[in-house]
Amino acid sequence: MSELIAVAMITILAVISPGPDFAMVTKNSYSYGVKVGLITAMGIAIGVQVHVFYTVFGISFIIMGSPTLFFIMKLLGVGYLIYLGFKSLTNKTQLTIENALNSAPSVFQALRVGFFTNALNPKTMLFVIALYTQVANLSNPLWLNLSYGMFISIAHWIWFSCVALFFSTPRLRAKILSHQKIADKIIGVLLILLGVGLLFISVK
């Protein structure tokens, strides 16, 4: 029971701390509305499972034991965030609540953005590995460790769904979209800075 409480508390604190996932759900929600925001949140929740599975099945020890492999994975995450940040920073499409549906990403595109935002995030990787090696116990029954992983995903889904619902409210959307160029540039700069910051993450 103490292990379960510890996993729950640490997960909740980690989920609500701002990061690339928060930035992407926020942007997609004020840009395209609640549907796209909620689908992005679902993609983020699914992306967590990538880290859960390779940790539970022991592959994380290979990653953490190989500086080269860890560096490659880190570069993929950094590159993806900088790419998303550059797209937001240079976006010239002026949206309104009325015309946003015409340029909204498809369900698959929104899900993909959310998925890769977390699946390629080294901070999420280190969080999941640390949770299973320092709080939970990898020698637990497989069903229990997978249940922890499901809880982590559900926590992400609930929190970022709330974020999506908040930033997609009509009044707030209209206000943000009236200053969209500034909002997009702020999100873009944040994503780039978060990406560059990941370069300094170390397994030590």
Side-chain angles (χ1 to χ4, degrees), residues 40-99:
T40 306
M42 178 61 71
I44 284 169
I46 296 172
V48 175
Q49 289 301 307
V50 173
H51 306 292
V52 170
F53 271 84
Y54 66 61
T55 301
V56 169
F57 290 104
I59 303 173
S60 61
F61 292 107
I62 299 174
I63 297 171
M64 304 303 281
S66 171
T68 302
L69 182 56
F70 178 74
F71 182 71
I72 291 172
M73 294 184 69
K74 186 164 65 171
L75 279 185
L76 288 173
V78 169
Y80 187 66
L81 289 182
I82 291 177
Y83 163 74
L84 291 176
F86 181 77
K87 281 185 65 178
S88 182
L89 196 61
T90 58
N91 179 44
K92 298 187 186 310
T93 303
Q94 182 62 50
L95 296 172
T96 64
I97 291 180
E98 291 74 23
N99 71 14

Side-chain angles (χ1 to χ4, degrees), residues 25-37 94-105 163-180 183-184:
V25 173
T26 298
K27 183 178 186 304
N28 277 358
S29 298
Y30 75 67
S31 295
Y32 306 111
V34 64
K35 179 181 176 181
V36 174
Q94 182 62 50
L95 296 172
T96 64
I97 291 180
E98 291 74 23
N99 71 14
L101 286 176
N102 297 327
S103 53
V163 172
L165 290 170
F166 177 77
F167 282 99
S168 62
T169 54
R171 175 179 285 187
L172 184 57
R173 278 191 71 201
K175 190 169 184 177
I176 295 176
L177 289 178
S178 67
H179 303 284
Q180 182 197 337
D184 284 354

Side-chain angles (χ1 to χ4, degrees), residues 70-71 74 78 122-123 126 192-204:
F70 178 74
F71 182 71
K74 186 164 65 171
V78 169
K123 286 185 69 176
L126 292 178
I192 291 171
L193 289 176
L194 286 168
V196 172
L198 292 179
L199 287 172
F200 300 98
I201 287 181
S202 170
V203 297
K204 299 298 184 182

Side-chain angles (χ1 to χ4, degrees), residues 106-198:
S106 66
V107 170
F108 174 76
Q109 289 171 329
L111 194 70
R112 182 180 62 192
V113 167
F115 175 82
F116 282 116
T117 296
N118 247 0
L120 295 177
N121 189 348
K123 286 185 69 176
T124 305
M125 174 181 71
L126 292 178
F127 158 68
V128 172
I129 292 175
L131 192 70
Y132 276 102
T133 56
Q134 298 179 29
V135 181
N137 192 331
L138 283 174
S139 63
N140 284 334
L142 181 61
W143 68 266
L144 180 58
N145 281 332
L146 290 178
S147 296
Y148 286 157
M150 187 58 64
F151 172 79
I152 296 170
S153 281
I154 291 173
H156 277 79
W157 175 65
I158 292 174
W159 170 249
F160 289 111
S161 292
C162 291
V163 172
L165 290 170
F166 177 77
F167 282 99
S168 62
T169 54
R171 175 179 285 187
L172 184 57
R173 278 191 71 201
K175 190 169 184 177
I176 295 176
L177 289 178
S178 67
H179 303 284
Q180 182 197 337
K181 289 184 179 179
I182 296 174
D184 284 354
K185 282 180 171 50
I186 291 173
I187 294 290
V189 170
L190 286 175
L191 286 170
I192 291 171
L193 289 176
L194 286 168
V196 172
L198 292 179

